[in-house]
Amino acid sequence: MQRRLRGLTAAVAVWGMTASLAACGASEGSSNVTLTLVAADYGDSAANSSEKYWDKLVKAFEAKNPDIKVKVSVYSWNDVDRKVKEMVAEGKAPDMAQIGAYADYAADGKLYSADDLLSIPVQADFLPQLSEAGEVDRVQYGMPFAASTRLLFYNKTLFKEAGITPPKSWADLQAAARVLKSRGVKIPYALPLGPEEAQAETMMWLLSGGAGYTDNVGTYDLDSSENIRTFDWLRDDLVGEDLTGPTPPGKLNRAHAFAAFTRGDVGMLNGHPTLMQMAAKKGVKFGMVPMPGPNGPSKATIGVADWMMAFKQNGRGEQIGTFLDYVYSEKNVLAFSHEYDLLPVTTSASYAMSDDKDDRQLAGFLEELPNSELYPVGKTSWAQVSAAIKQQIGKAVTKNGKPASILGQIQREAASAENAE
């Protein structure tokens, strides 16, 4: 399984000891360079588009560094990865890209390493778990930009009316779902295994069952006995008892599940911090608890990160390093995290958020971060494996579904993709 967080204090100690050291790529007298950055849009409307965040940040940066200009192009998540791929294929790579995956570009030798760019204090400030997830062959190319974890959300009103308490185990979750169903709740537990983000819901359940996508040495192990047991339980004890609503899980996407929760139609579902804001806007009273496991709360939950990377094509590593050192200052990391209800990717900003009473709603997600595990994003095969999960995993929980067969098929595809690297 993916390596776990070794602790925030170690990173803080390193950060503090090295705060006076200079960057290996620090800018000294850069002259009239315009950097290009392609970034993803985290906003859900023009009012909170990421363009506004970058405009403010760039204006402040350029005031301090008049010889370096930065041009940012923001695209929706539906388009940004494809846009960068097209630019690279055309020989017009941007200087930087803030997108969902970095491994393919790193494997092709197109990226600067973090060592090439960042000052030692800034690189040491990344949460260790996220730094490791940004590595290919033990060299960090992916710089974490945004992070989140997942908790089990529940509708407080529905739970209070039903006289039930938040679940701690799978048996508790099933029992609560049965009561909610008996009271006419449309979707006692929302299980979005549709193609939008099936890989996330799947991983949450695999982790809660004690396993995951990979074993302890990082080898794909999707059809482990623990994973098969987990999906047998989902098929028989949740879906098989009609506790997941009228839409088959394989056709239910996360966006639709979240929307149903904000309408008050869902009793429980896994969610990330953005769901808090969505539910609050609709007046839904909700609570959040760690994901249940077979015999108690899960020992691990999913962690998700998006990535910043820098392309070598234009040879502007010195100026890129100067800009990224500024991007990853505590002030700017916190500003982005607050704007979009995401978790900081640095130790200093994480501590600041933990100490801020205004961030108390995010405390549960921050507490889960040390126990979270990320997708195997350092594998160039992960994109293909993720696509296979999205296409096939919903079949495992149908009435006549065969989890062992489906997981075995995905495992064979994963092994084949890994061997082809």
Side-chain angles (χ1 to χ4, degrees), residues 7 10 39 41 63 76 79 95 122 163 184 203 239 251 258 317 333 360 369 404:
D41 193 351
S76 75
D79 300 321
D95 293 302
V122 169
M203 187 169 174
V239 182
K251 295 183 179 180
F258 278 17
V333 171
R360 66 186 64 180
L369 191 56

Side-chain angles (χ1 to χ4, degrees), residues 282-302:
K282 296 290 186 177
V284 174
K285 296 181 179 179
F286 60 90
M288 301 173 292
V289 294
M291 178 70 176
N295 303 304
S298 174
K299 295 180 180 180
T301 188
I302 185 175

Side-chain angles (χ1 to χ4, degrees), residues 128-166:
Q129 180 189 27
L130 300 181
S131 290
E132 291 178 5
E135 294 176 357
V136 173
D137 295 330
R138 300 192 177 186
V139 177
Q140 184 183 0
Y141 296 96
M143 292 161 279
F145 185 75
S148 70
T149 54
R150 302 290 195 268
L151 292 172
L152 182 74
F153 283 67
Y154 65 96
N155 185 308
K156 281 188 172 182
T157 301
L158 295 178
F159 268 62
K160 183 177 180 180
E161 292 173 350
I164 54 178
T165 57

Side-chain angles (χ1 to χ4, degrees), residues 403-418:
S405 176
I406 296 297
L407 289 169
Q409 182 178 345
I410 300 173
Q411 171 63 25
R412 288 189 292 274
E413 293 186 33
S416 177
E418 185 77 350

